[in-house]
């Protein structure tokens, strides 16, 4: 099935550092979502974006809906150990199911 | 409030067997979707049901089927299991008819040997 191009695949960072990850699609999307998945759990929604150019924050997390509607990025500022996990982007257009990226595995070194 | 609950949490099946996975949505949610997440990949859409009617089907073989009951709970059935069916199966529920606003459960880990 279709999956989005998400990068990087994995990251090892020091506690306190900022993190940036992005996602691209070959199709135009109307919605971009960012999820976090912890081991043994389902994905949890972090941020939802519904408009091209939209910049939305949720605490230390900031995400943007690309102007071309084919990309999105997620930034995490001042990372902490509990930020460890797998981050997924997801998007869709119109009334279609969500398409997910392959995920970015984040490891934080204290 | 209880979230989306799935059962069982883990199970092991042999190739060729049949499996039934169960999902109870959040109270008041009428829509249920099923996703398959193979290790190292993002979730892939399998089915969506709203008010007991199938609203969407992903690119999965006919061995996969699902249904939604009057209480909005749902079952995912997979026949003639293959090794490649080993995955985390996620259920998500929503109040909406469309594909937005879903809350995911913790999933059922299926291993086919």
């Amino acid at each position: 099935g279709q999956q989005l191009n998400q990068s990087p695949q994995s990251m090892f960072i020091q506690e306190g550092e900022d993190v940036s990850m992005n996602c691209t699609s070959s199709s135009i999307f109307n919605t971009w979502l960012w999820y976090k998945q912890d081991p043994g759990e389902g994905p949890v929604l972090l941020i939802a974006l519904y408009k091209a150019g939209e910049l939305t924050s949720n605490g230390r997390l900031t995400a943007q809906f690309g102007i071309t509607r084919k990309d999105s990025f997620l930034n995490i500022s001042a990372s902490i150990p509990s930020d460890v996990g797998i981050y997924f982007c997801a998007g869709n257009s119109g009334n279609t199911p969500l398409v997910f990226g392959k995920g970015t595995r984040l490891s934080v070194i204290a | 409030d209880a979230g989306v609950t799935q059962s069982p949490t883990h199970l092991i099946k042999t190739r060729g067997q049949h499996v039934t996975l169960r999902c109870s949505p959040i109270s008041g949610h009428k829509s249920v979707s099923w996703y398959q997440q193979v290790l190292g990949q993002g979730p892939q859409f399998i089915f969506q049901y709203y008010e007991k009617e199938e609203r969407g089907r992903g690119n999965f073989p006919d061995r996969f089927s699902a249904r939604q009951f009057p209480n909005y709970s749902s079952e995912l059935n997979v026949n003639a299991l293959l090794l490649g069916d080993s995955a985390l199966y996620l259920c998500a529920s929503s109040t909406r008819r469309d594909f937005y606003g879903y809350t995911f459960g913790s999933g059922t880990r299926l291993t086919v040997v």
Side-chain angles (χ1 to χ4, degrees):
Chain A
Q2 179 189 2
Q3 288 208 317
L4 306 177
N5 296 314
Q6 188 172 349
S7 65
Q9 246 183 318
S10 62
M11 308 178 71
F12 290 84
I13 62 168
Q14 294 275 351
E15 184 177 355
E17 286 184 348
D18 296 344
V19 172
S20 184
M21 60 191 78
N22 65 73
C23 203
T24 60
S25 167
S26 57
S27 307
I28 290 175
F29 281 166
N30 293 334
T31 303
W32 281 97
L33 307 173
W34 286 91
Y35 289 86
K36 179 175 184 266
Q37 187 173 26
D38 293 326
E41 300 294 329
V44 174
L45 182 65
L46 300 173
I47 292 180
L49 303 159
Y50 299 107
K51 187 177 176 182
E54 181 181 356
L55 185 71
T56 298
S57 294
N58 178 8
R60 293 179 296 107
L61 277 61
T62 302
Q64 185 159 27
F65 192 140
I67 291 177
T68 66
R69 295 167 65 192
K70 291 185 176 182
D71 63 332
S72 178
F73 72 75
L74 174 71
N75 286 340
I76 305 173
S77 63
S79 57
I80 59 178
S82 62
D83 291 334
V84 166
I86 304 177
Y87 291 80
F88 290 97
C89 61
N92 68 351
S93 56
N95 193 23
T96 59
L98 285 175
V99 177
F100 282 80
K102 291 187 176 182
T104 294
R105 182 180 294 273
L106 179 62
S107 301
V108 180
I109 305 167
Chain B
D1 287 341
V4 178
T5 57
Q6 294 187 241
S7 63
T9 54
H10 298 82
L11 77 164
I12 299 174
K13 290 286 190 178
T14 304
R15 276 178 298 176
Q17 285 189 315
H18 163 271
V19 69
T20 297
L21 310 180
R22 295 178 175 82
C23 172
S24 293
I26 293 172
S27 178
H29 286 196
K30 298 180 179 180
S31 182
V32 168
S33 284
W34 288 95
Y35 285 79
Q36 180 196 63
Q37 187 176 19
V38 173
L39 197 62
Q41 304 288 319
Q44 294 270 352
F45 172 75
I46 310 176
F47 287 107
Q48 188 214 18
Y49 279 79
Y50 180 81
E51 290 271 19
K52 296 175 290 180
E53 289 190 4
E54 184 183 298
R55 297 279 300 169
R57 173 185 285 254
N59 188 24
F60 281 80
D62 291 343
R63 299 185 295 108
F64 288 76
S65 64
R67 54 180 175 168
Q68 187 177 31
F69 299 99
N71 66 354
Y72 305 114
S73 67
S74 178
E75 282 183 354
L76 175 70
N77 294 284
V78 187
N79 292 324
L81 285 166
L82 304 174
L83 296 179
D85 294 331
S86 295
L88 179 68
Y89 287 85
L90 295 163
C91 174
S93 75
S94 166
T95 57
R96 301 172 60 133
R97 181 195 301 265
D98 54 24
F99 293 95
Y100 298 94
Y102 277 97
T103 299
F104 283 88
S106 296
T108 294
R109 172 72 62 187
L110 171 65
T111 302
V112 182
V113 298

